[in-house]
Amino acid sequence: MRELANVNGAICALEDAVIPAEDRGCLFGDGVYEVVRAYQGRLWGFRRHWKRFQRSLREIDLQPANLEEIRGWIEETYRSSQIPNATVYFHLTRGASPRSHAWSDPLNPSFFMSVRPFADRAIVAGVKVQSVPDLRWRRCDIKSLNLLPNVLAKQQARKLGAYEALLVDNQGNVTEGSSSAALAILDRTIVAPPQAPSILPSITREYVEEIAVALELAFQQRWLSLAEFRSAGEAFLAGTSDEVTGITHVDGQAVGSGEVGPWTREIQKAYRERIEQRRD
Ligand code: PLP
């Protein structure tokens, strides 16, 4: 088991990975990324992550010539790490060049990837979330490297003793977490925001939508105000890292009973079962 990196096709120990200081990812956040989990030696949901990655690349007008080769690097680097339960991070940036906002062709995109063991966060007991204004740009559907507002929001939440920030837009509606989707359950209906440019199309949320059918829960897309979200019977976070995590409190106020709700537990269980059965 080794923590590994891959820089433009070359595999190395993670601590030895080096990228150029003038990489546009570093100077401008000019790139897109994905985070994938591996369970028991297998990349989970990789096909879906790859599709979203390709979409993000198209949306920022970054089209590397060797996309299939990059896919091979990801698979090979993960295999080489021999880490059964891992977090696999990868990004592609517009490459290194003297600092200038506009870029000039030809591009030389730059790939970086890391593989680390995933440390279970032991959050089965549920988490508290803290509402924070959503200060992000208008294309949060692109999984871009520009995460400063997400980072600041999460930090603010942590300072206030919460696990995650619950982002609230100018209309007073809940968009998502700083690194997770945020969903509520009202009367046997899972309520998620519409798939708008203001939120990331979450892959875990996709699984939840599929699980809802099996559990005979309705799945509805509509905006919820912070007050509606707070007064839902149940609420939970969904994300690659957080999987399905119950929300017990919003801004210090209990959601439902103040414990992880029974439907949330069912969804958690069903999600885990899908992973074990490799049904991605
Ligand atoms: N929303 C944001 C802002 C995220 O950063 C993430 C995960 O990184 C998610 C939602 C959840 O997406 P996924 O389920 O694809 O991990």
Side-chain angles (χ1 to χ4, degrees):
M1 253 176 56
R2 279 196 310 157
E3 292 190 345
L4 290 184
N6 185 314
V7 181
N8 294 320
I11 298 177
C12 63
L14 183 52
E15 68 266 27
D16 295 335
V18 176
I19 54 175
E22 286 196 307
D23 190 292
R24 292 178 65 93
C26 180
L27 298 178
F28 298 115
D30 186 359
V32 293
Y33 77 104
E34 280 294 327
V35 179
V36 183
R37 286 278 291 280
Y39 295 91
Q40 302 303 325
R42 181 174 174 275
L43 293 170
W44 164 251
F46 187 66
R47 194 179 46 81
R48 299 186 197 226
H49 284 276
W50 188 248
K51 196 167 153 210
R52 184 172 67 185
F53 185 58
Q54 286 175 286
R55 177 181 182 275
S56 294
L57 288 170
R58 274 196 309 275
E59 293 297 322
I60 68 159
D61 197 14
L62 179 53
Q63 293 297 307
N66 61 340
L67 205 52
E68 273 316 297
E69 189 180 26
I70 290 175
R71 188 184 174 132
W73 294 344
I74 296 167
E75 287 166 346
E76 187 200 343
T77 309
Y78 172 60
R79 251 195 327 274
S80 304
S81 76
Q82 297 188 314
I83 302 175
N85 298 313
T87 298
V88 174
Y89 169 89
F90 60 92
H91 75 211
L92 194 74
T93 75
R94 220 177 296 275
S97 59
R99 189 178 181 280
S100 159
H101 287 58
W103 66 86
S104 41
D105 294 323
L107 295 169
N108 196 7
S110 185
F111 175 79
F112 168 73
M113 160 179 177
S114 65
V115 188
R116 284 205 151 94
F118 180 80
D120 243 325
R121 288 177 168 73
I123 44 182
V124 272
V127 296
K128 297 175 179 173
V129 300
Q130 173 67 44
S131 63
V132 176
D134 190 345
L135 301 178
R136 300 173 302 161
W137 72 327
R138 283 183 286 178
R139 290 303 307 275
C140 297
D141 56 318
I142 301 170
K143 205 160 165 62
S144 117
L145 292 176
N146 290 276
L147 291 173
L148 185 58
N150 306 57
V151 166
L152 294 176
K154 177 91 90 186
Q155 191 66 16
Q156 191 176 336
R158 291 283 166 95
K159 258 197 205 157
L160 294 168
Y163 171 78
E164 173 63 302
L166 190 65
L167 303 178
V168 179
D169 68 14
N170 286 340
Q171 277 76 49
N173 294 323
V174 172
T175 52
E176 55 188 339
S178 70
S179 61
S180 54
L183 298 90
I185 308 179
L186 294 92
D187 305 325
R188 288 193 71 127
T189 301
I190 302 175
V191 182
Q195 277 300 352
S198 55
I199 61 162
L200 183 78
S202 155
I203 287 164
T204 318
R205 165 184 158 160
E206 255 176 52
Y207 287 121
V208 168
E209 189 170 355
E210 292 166 16
I211 286 165
V213 177
L215 294 179
E216 295 182 9
L217 289 170
F219 189 94
Q220 191 181 39
Q221 296 194 41
R222 71 178 169 92
W223 295 108
L224 287 180
S225 68
L226 177 59
E228 284 174 296
F229 193 96
R230 265 201 213 120
S231 58
E234 298 183 31
F236 61 93
L237 302 173
T240 297
S241 300
D242 291 326
E243 301 184 353
V244 173
T245 296
I247 296 174
T248 59
H249 295 78
V250 178
D251 299 341
Q253 190 182 309
V255 175
S257 63
E259 291 181 0
V260 179
W263 284 116
T264 303
R265 288 201 187 282
E266 289 296 316
I267 298 164
Q268 273 173 336
K269 205 169 110 212
Y271 184 59
R272 273 283 167 171
E273 276 168 11
R274 267 187 87 133
I275 293 170
E276 276 158 29
Q277 294 163 2
R278 305 185 161 191
R279 286 191 294 119
D280 52 1

